[in-house]
Amino acid sequence: MTLLARLRSFVAALVSGRKVEREMEEEWTFHVEARADALAAEGLSRDDAIRRARVEFGDPLRWKEGGREARGLLW
């Protein structure tokens, strides 16, 4: 990623930081729910399926940090 692209991404994050954070949280939740649905279809109870999906996806804060890094929001 070029320096100019990183700078644009950084400025966009400053301007719309809460929106980006909310979108990352929604995306994480979507993936966990989709995996939980698949696990429930395999026979797990809904609670166990959600718990297992969360374990598989890991800590949402680390996941968000990876998203920030990929978007160039970390220097």
Side-chain angles (χ1 to χ4, degrees):
M1 180 179 278
T2 67
L3 182 57
L4 182 58
R6 282 184 171 267
L7 184 58
R8 284 184 190 152
S9 179
F10 182 73
V11 170
L14 289 176
V15 173
S16 62
R18 288 185 180 167
K19 179 182 175 191
V20 171
E21 289 293 316
R22 186 178 63 248
E23 288 173 351
M24 284 193 290
E25 180 68 30
E26 289 171 358
E27 185 174 351
W28 185 84
T29 301
F30 169 79
H31 288 290
V32 168
E33 290 291 327
R35 180 63 180 142
D37 290 344
L39 291 168
E42 293 176 7
L44 269 71
S45 71
R46 185 69 183 164
D47 289 340
D48 288 341
I50 290 173
R51 192 174 8 260
R52 184 165 161 193
R54 286 181 178 161
V55 168
E56 288 179 10
F57 276 93
D59 182 10
L61 297 178
R62 291 185 80 158
W63 199 79
K64 284 183 194 180
E65 191 166 304
R68 288 184 204 109
E69 187 174 323
R71 288 179 173 96
L73 302 181
L74 297 176
W75 285 84

